[in-house]
Amino acid sequence: MKKNRYIMPALLSAMLMATGCDNRLDVQPTQSIDENVALGTSRDVEVTLIGCYDGLQDVDVYGGAFQYASELLGNADELGFGGTFQNLLEMYNKEMTTNNATATTTWRDSYVAINRCNNVLSALDIVDEDKRARIEGEARFIRGSIYFDLVRLYAKTWGDGDNASNPGVPLVLKPTRGVTDADKIPRNPVAEVYAQVLEDLTKAKSLLPESNTIYATKYAASAQLSRVYLMQGNYAAARDEANEVIASGAFSLNSTFESLFFTFLDNGGANPEEYIFSMIVTQQDGTNDMNTFFGTTISAIPGTAGRGDIRVLAKHRSLYETGDKRGAFFVTTNNTFTQKHLDKFGNVLQFRLAEMYLTRAEANLRLNTQTGAAPLADLNLIRTRAGLKAATTATIESVLKERHLELAFEGHTLHDLKRTRQNVGTLAYNSPKLIMPIPQREMDVNKQLVQNQGYN
């Protein structure tokens, strides 16, 4: 998925020149542009959709923050932190403040991206008919995905108390063009946010094509739906969405685990066959904040980079069985780092096929079904690819362990612990310390917001 932050400014400049007055000194104010001018043609809406993707892969959204927030908040002595950024240190220590920079910018930039999607969805009637369904599907996929991760990070997890009354996040479903009192709305309940997420993603799935170069597809929507349903404990639906992705034949497991992550260094930017959806990073555009914080520069591997702030500790490495190739997929200098995020221009992974196999295996086990394949077969696909002997039995515990090792450092840790009701170290899964604060700047300007428990 290509990001181009220069398209929108260029378009607006061209529009201003094309509609300017004959007298070059007779200049109209341009602090804002009427929506009928800014979104006047199908092409304008298509360019705005590119802006939606740009917002999606912002480093404070799916370009890193959603993922590293889950890893740091869900960490229980498997990761170390040696950086100087206070916002990440607060996450690592589970002592976030209402002025935490990541909590603030992730909220802000997520709603910027959502507003772009709302602009696209409000102008579908002017989109060329042959493009309308796809464009609506892409905008709904982006909006639904962002709302899903916002409600997972800023609200109580699904099933912790009353979903119908627990505050979620504000649902803004129409374009906001200048903030008025009417735009200052309260937090919708968790249940309402999930309902909107499912509506957006289900509609997106029905509208998106099966293949779409580097943009969202039907199968990306299915992969995201499988996560939503898994989070809700709707195992039949999670299983069926994962099975649909697997059965499509559109993706295949890489033959080796090690070939999955150096997308620029080894593949020139191309996604491996296992990737269902990722954020494309190039030498010209885009940033991968998983590389920024998990990566480090290795002189023997040109093209590697990163601050080396997040290190892997012995507790995590001790979890791997002897012979597990994943247990060797680390590099040690003064500290130990995962190799998953060394590639400076590596794509920011969102969904890959191994996750779908593990979701299907877990759901089948919980339901005592064998939709698509027996749970043991799915489990062993992942184990044997990692160089391990095939297991003889599959249990919920063995599948969850395999999931933890296979998907380590990819943004799943906190959410998997919460949905399975496991402690994070000494903290209960529903501890207020594992929920991000509503940013203080939002509380100051919108008195209808209520703060999360434990924050002043």
Side-chain angles (χ1 to χ4, degrees), residues 306-369:
R307 290 174 49 87
D309 289 347
I310 303 176
R311 297 88 183 262
V312 181
L313 301 181
K315 180 180 177 181
H316 177 82
R317 298 196 68 179
S318 70
L319 299 175
Y320 296 90
E321 298 173 42
T322 301
D324 192 331
K325 295 177 181 178
R326 298 167 305 186
F329 201 60
F330 300 95
V331 60
T332 300
T333 54
N334 293 330
N335 296 286
T336 297
F337 304 92
T338 175
Q339 292 196 48
K340 286 187 175 182
H341 305 300
L342 292 181
D343 192 344
K344 181 177 181 180
F345 301 114
N347 297 344
V348 189
L349 173 64
Q350 301 305 318
F351 314 107
R352 61 184 176 98
L353 193 62
E355 178 190 346
M356 299 297 102
Y357 279 111
L358 291 164
T359 295
R360 188 173 74 175
E362 180 185 343
N364 270 325
L365 272 171
R366 292 186 185 277
L367 297 169
N368 195 27
T369 57

Side-chain angles (χ1 to χ4, degrees), residues 96-246:
M96 296 184 72
T97 63
T98 58
N99 289 312
N100 181 276
T102 298
T104 300
T105 54
T106 294
W107 180 284
R108 179 197 67 198
D109 294 352
S110 292
Y111 276 102
V112 167
I114 287 168
N115 197 51
R116 293 174 187 175
C117 293
N118 290 339
N119 274 287
V120 169
L121 294 169
S122 74
L124 290 173
D125 58 333
I126 64 172
V127 175
D128 294 341
E129 188 174 354
D130 62 332
K131 300 174 182 177
R132 192 175 300 152
R134 174 185 58 80
I135 287 174
E136 180 181 355
E138 291 181 62
R140 283 185 176 270
F141 168 77
I142 293 169
R143 186 175 71 177
S145 294
I146 293 174
Y147 269 129
F148 175 49
D149 275 291
L150 282 176
V151 78
R152 289 203 292 180
L153 286 175
Y154 289 90
K156 288 186 175 183
T157 197
W158 181 269
D160 176 18
D162 187 355
N163 299 317
S165 60
N166 286 342
V169 296
L171 283 175
V172 182
L173 303 177
K174 294 181 179 180
T176 300
R177 302 179 176 103
V179 179
T180 66
D181 286 341
D183 298 308
K184 298 174 182 178
I185 60 175
R187 298 167 64 179
N188 291 73
V190 167
E192 290 182 10
V193 179
Y194 268 85
Q196 183 61 50
V197 167
L198 289 172
E199 179 184 324
D200 274 346
L201 293 175
T202 302
K203 185 68 172 179
K205 179 184 172 184
S206 72
L207 295 171
L208 288 169
E210 293 188 1
S211 61
N212 194 17
T213 59
I214 54 179
Y215 299 96
T217 66
K218 169 185 177 179
Y219 299 118
S222 273
Q224 189 68 286
L225 279 166
S226 76
R227 286 188 184 177
V228 178
Y229 288 130
L230 195 64
M231 203 73 198
Q232 292 182 307
N234 185 344
Y235 298 114
R239 174 201 63 197
D240 292 347
E241 293 292 347
N243 183 62
E244 188 168 348
V245 177
I246 296 166

Side-chain angles (χ1 to χ4, degrees), residues 167-168 186-187 438 443 446-452:
R187 298 167 64 179
I438 306 302
M443 297 292 298
N446 182 0
K447 299 305 181 183
Q448 296 209 58
L449 294 175
V450 294
Q451 185 56 271
N452 285 324

